[in-house]
Amino acid sequence: MTNFEKLNKIFIADDEEINLKYFKRFLSVEYEVYTTENCLDGLNLVKVFNPDIILLDVHMPGINGFEFCKILKLDEETKNIPVIFISSLANPEHIKTGLKVGAIDFISKPINKTETLARIKTHLAMGQVQRELAHSNKILDTSLKVAEQKFNVEKDHREKISARLIESENRFKLIFDSSPEAIIIVSVDSGEIIDANNACCSLFGYSYNELICANQNDLLESSKEIIEKNYFAAQGDTQRGSDVRMLLNNLIRKDGTRIPVQNSSKTILFEGELYIFSIIFDLSARQKMEQDLRKAKERAEELNRLKGFFLANISHELRTPLVGILGFSKLLEEEIDDVMLSNMAHSITVSGKRLLNTLKVLLEYSILESEDVKPEWHLINLENIISDVITSCKNSYEIRGLLVHFNRSEEDISINADQHFMTEVVFQLLNNAINYTNFGSITISLATEYFENKKCAIISIEDTGIGISEDKLSSIFDDFRQGSEGYSRNYEGLGLGLALVKKIVDFHNGSITVQSKENEGSLFKVTLQMEKENQ
């Protein structure tokens, strides 16, 4: 609506303030709304505001709604204003009395917002048409009285109105026929198709003449129970108002093929007859897309299973000869007196250990990826595990000149877990901190906290390393992802360490979080429930 269009005015009389506020809240969006709680001063207010329609509560203090309506209809200034009664007692006697005193409609409480708006719009439109017709008749009567020659002018005027009505009907028919969705109108009593648009004819595969008067029950696959249910539902719509009904079924085309469709229908009352207005959506494309997505999902799951199988096989096949190589390189390193050759043997040992660790991560990862994980659940002491891991990594962090601090808890912190997997969690997090910290220190803390009334063990590992950029934080626990990636990356690894940690923690019904800023360091925190649960 533009700023130049005039809003219709609605006058509401109701003795309950809460009802007036409710009406005003949703009607003020489209209309000018005036209210009163008393009919005694209602007539003067109606004359002042000159509303286009009146909503009138039956039970009012002083003068009730029926008496007030009689007064309005006896007054020349207000008799043509349409009145709609509202009441919580919508019995036939009330409705009969309301219509007898001049009302045009009756709305039951509690108020249905959608129904009320629809009725108001309908009656405003009808009132507008009535006023236009009354105006036309007045002009016609005046013209007939004044002179015979004006009769031709009025005749021309009526022809223009008729042309506009025909134009309006043609416009509706054009919109109806041009809709890209199939639209069909069916008689409730007979089930015969009364009208259908071009899209509907195309969907069914029939011509318009073939489709009209055909029975929709012969063209849409539905059980006898569903047909009867829809019939009685449509009959009941006249009592409570029509709701949009959704139905999934198959459409039978003229060539016998069946198409999955969604039928969205609404019952309409026209000239005393009930009709079902339906929009039919072809679901063939959507179903095909769902099937393709399901197949793609199954294929992705199969590929993921094969990936785990491949990783397990390749890591196992490489691990066995590598252990032999490491044994001989260590022996050579200890036995050879030549410094240069000894250093070469040492380089073989260091590189071999790096490769062995990579294979170990691959193997652990593939085990967790498979569905054949057989953990050994025991009550394990986390302080002992952390201390053992720190000792095993001592050579690594001392070579890099790093300090490692362990803030122990005063209480015994034990959890029900797989000791091997939990050792792997601490090792991977500490090893990750060592690899990405060039100078400074690493602090490991062990404590307890309560979450949702459950006591949890908290393992925190904080470093002063290179940190993680904000755009990488969301994917740091994804498979094969690192803080630095590509051929030009400065740090070693496959990007599986943190992914492995996340899988192990999830497997223990725990959680892991990370806080980090680039060039400032990172804090990884693992939360594990201490209460023993059934595994």
Side-chain angles (χ1 to χ4, degrees):
M1 178 174 289
T2 66
N3 295 331
F4 302 102
E5 293 178 323
K6 184 179 178 182
L7 293 175
N8 287 111
K9 292 182 286 187
I10 299 177
F11 183 80
I12 307 172
D14 194 309
D15 61 334
E16 292 185 21
E17 185 179 2
I18 190 172
N19 289 340
L20 294 175
K21 289 182 177 179
Y22 177 71
F23 275 117
K24 196 161 187 176
R25 186 166 61 250
F26 75 84
L27 290 176
S28 296
V29 178
E30 299 182 46
Y31 307 101
E32 288 183 24
V33 181
Y34 306 97
T35 62
T36 183
E37 296 180 23
N38 195 327
C39 286
L40 294 174
D41 57 352
L43 183 61
N44 290 332
L45 291 174
V46 169
K47 289 184 177 181
V48 170
F49 299 137
N50 190 27
D52 299 293
I53 195 166
I54 297 173
L55 300 184
L56 183 56
D57 188 15
V58 172
H59 301 287
M60 298 285 288
I63 302 175
N64 66 33
F66 294 142
E67 294 171 345
F68 183 53
C69 185
K70 289 180 183 178
I71 295 173
L72 291 172
K73 296 304 175 182
L74 291 174
D75 194 290
E76 285 296 319
E77 294 181 41
T78 60
K79 68 179 183 179
N80 292 324
I81 300 175
V83 176
I84 299 176
F85 277 117
I86 50 178
S87 175
S88 58
L89 300 174
N91 56 59
E93 205 58 38
H94 271 73
I95 295 174
K96 182 178 178 181
T97 304
L99 295 175
K100 187 175 180 180
V101 298
I104 61 170
D105 207 344
F106 209 101
I107 298 176
S108 300
K109 294 180 180 179
I111 300 303
N112 183 297
K113 176 183 173 181
T114 303
E115 177 187 358
T116 302
L117 283 170
R119 291 195 181 194
I120 288 173
K121 289 180 180 180
T122 299
H123 290 303
L124 285 173
M126 291 174 60
Q128 179 63 27
V129 172
Q130 289 174 351
R131 286 191 293 273
E132 289 179 358
L133 289 174
H135 178 67
S136 299
N137 289 333
K138 184 177 180 181
I139 294 175
L140 180 61
D141 291 340
T142 303
S143 299
L144 288 172
K145 292 177 182 179
V146 172
E148 183 66 25
Q149 66 266 19
K150 290 187 178 181
F151 175 77
N152 293 328
V153 175
E154 292 305 320
K155 180 181 177 182
D156 182 60
H157 179 67
R158 288 195 304 272
E159 288 175 351
K160 289 180 179 180
I161 293 176
S162 178
R164 283 197 294 268
L165 289 174
I166 294 173
E167 181 183 354
S168 177
E169 181 179 346
N170 291 337
R171 188 183 301 114
F172 169 79
K173 185 65 176 174
L174 178 63
I175 295 172
F176 179 79
D177 287 334
S178 301
S179 171
E181 302 297 342
I183 303 176
I184 191 171
I185 300 175
V186 179
S187 169
V188 170
D189 291 329
S190 66
E192 290 184 351
I193 297 173
I194 305 303
D195 203 357
N197 67 351
N198 295 330
C200 186
C201 295
S202 177
L203 183 62
F204 279 91
Y206 289 93
S207 67
Y208 179 81
N209 292 332
E210 290 173 329
L211 205 55
I212 296 305
C213 295
N215 195 294
Q216 77 153 353
N217 296 327
D218 296 331
L219 303 177
L220 292 171
E221 283 188 339
S222 298
S223 65
K224 182 180 179 181
E225 291 76 12
I226 292 177
I227 294 173
E228 291 177 350
K229 181 181 178 181
N230 286 337
Y231 173 79
F232 289 117
Q235 293 288 345
D237 285 339
T238 57
Q239 302 297 325
R240 63 178 182 275
S242 174
D243 296 325
V244 175
R245 290 187 292 274
M246 311 287 286
L247 183 65
L248 297 176
N249 50 18
N250 288 326
L251 176 151
I252 306 173
R253 288 175 52 84
K254 183 178 180 179
D255 59 9
T257 57
R258 284 166 169 75
I259 299 175
V261 294
Q262 175 183 293
N263 189 351
S264 301
S265 61
K266 184 178 178 68
T267 305
I268 56 176
L269 181 64
F270 181 70
E271 294 183 350
E273 297 289 336
L274 283 175
Y275 299 95
I276 296 177
F277 182 91
S278 298
I279 301 178
I280 302 175
F281 301 92
D282 185 354
L283 301 182
S284 302
R286 190 173 80 180
Q287 284 196 359
K288 184 179 183 305
M289 181 181 67
E290 290 174 352
Q291 291 173 358
D292 292 342
L293 287 174
R294 190 159 44 248
K295 290 179 180 178
K297 179 177 177 291
E298 292 171 355
R299 176 62 176 163
E301 290 173 348
E302 175 64 13
L303 290 174
N304 193 53
R305 187 189 68 80
L306 291 175
K307 179 192 71 176
F309 180 74
F310 170 77
L311 290 176
N313 277 350
I314 196 68
S315 60
H316 182 271
E317 290 299 319
L318 292 175
R319 181 187 178 93
T320 302
L322 183 59
V323 170
I325 293 172
L326 283 173
F328 285 117
S329 67
K330 188 66 177 177
L331 182 62
L332 289 172
E333 185 180 347
E334 294 173 353
E335 296 295 329
I336 295 176
D337 295 328
D338 188 291
V339 176
M340 186 169 63
L341 293 177
S342 179
N343 289 337
M344 290 180 180
H346 177 71
S347 297
I348 294 173
T349 303
V350 171
S351 299
K353 286 182 177 179
R354 173 190 164 193
L355 182 56
L356 186 62
N357 182 61
T358 300
L359 293 176
K360 176 187 173 186
V361 172
L362 282 173
L363 186 59
E364 298 284 2
Y365 177 84
S366 63
I367 290 173
L368 287 171
E369 280 282 279
S370 71
E371 297 179 357
D372 192 29
V373 183
K374 297 179 180 178
E376 296 181 3
W377 300 101
H378 298 288
L379 192 64
I380 61 173
N381 185 280
L382 289 178
E383 181 177 333
N384 293 339
I385 287 179
I386 295 172
S387 296
D388 291 344
V389 171
I390 291 174
T391 300
S392 69
C393 295
K394 184 176 181 181
N395 187 54
S396 298
Y397 65 74
E398 285 184 347
I399 288 175
R400 296 178 67 87
L402 302 175
L403 297 176
V404 174
H405 306 289
F406 181 18
N407 296 328
R408 293 174 168 82
S409 174
E410 295 181 356
E411 61 178 314
D412 174 67
I413 301 179
S414 298
I415 65 169
N416 191 45
D418 182 289
Q419 182 166 343
H420 170 74
F421 281 148
M422 201 48 56
T423 301
E424 192 66 29
V425 168
V426 178
F427 173 77
Q428 290 297 336
L429 289 175
L430 179 56
N431 187 57
N432 191 71
I434 293 171
N435 288 337
Y436 288 93
T437 303
N438 297 321
F439 56 87
S441 62
I442 299 169
T443 302
I444 304 176
S445 302
L446 180 61
T448 60
E449 291 183 23
Y450 280 89
F451 293 98
E452 298 179 353
N453 297 322
K454 292 183 179 180
K455 191 175 183 180
C456 297
I458 309 296
I459 303 173
S460 302
I461 298 182
E462 185 174 12
D463 62 59
T464 59
I466 65 171
I468 306 167
S469 61
E470 187 175 351
D471 62 320
K472 298 288 177 58
L473 279 175
S474 61
S475 61
I476 198 66
F477 294 110
D478 293 346
D479 300 343
F480 304 105
R481 300 303 300 270
Q482 293 180 304
S484 61
E485 297 178 329
Y487 292 111
S488 60
R489 70 181 191 270
N490 298 318
Y491 297 91
E492 302 169 349
L494 286 177
L496 274 181
L498 291 178
L500 177 63
V501 169
K502 180 72 165 60
K503 288 185 181 294
I504 295 175
V505 172
D506 289 344
F507 188 73
H508 285 76
N509 296 320
S511 64
I512 181 168
T513 60
V514 58
Q515 299 175 21
S516 184
K517 286 187 178 180
E518 203 165 6
N519 300 319
E520 292 185 17
S522 302
L523 170 62
F524 287 86
K525 183 181 287 187
V526 176
T527 303
L528 300 160
Q529 291 186 18
M530 294 183 65
E531 287 80 357
K532 184 176 180 179
E533 296 183 351
N534 293 326
Q535 303 294 340

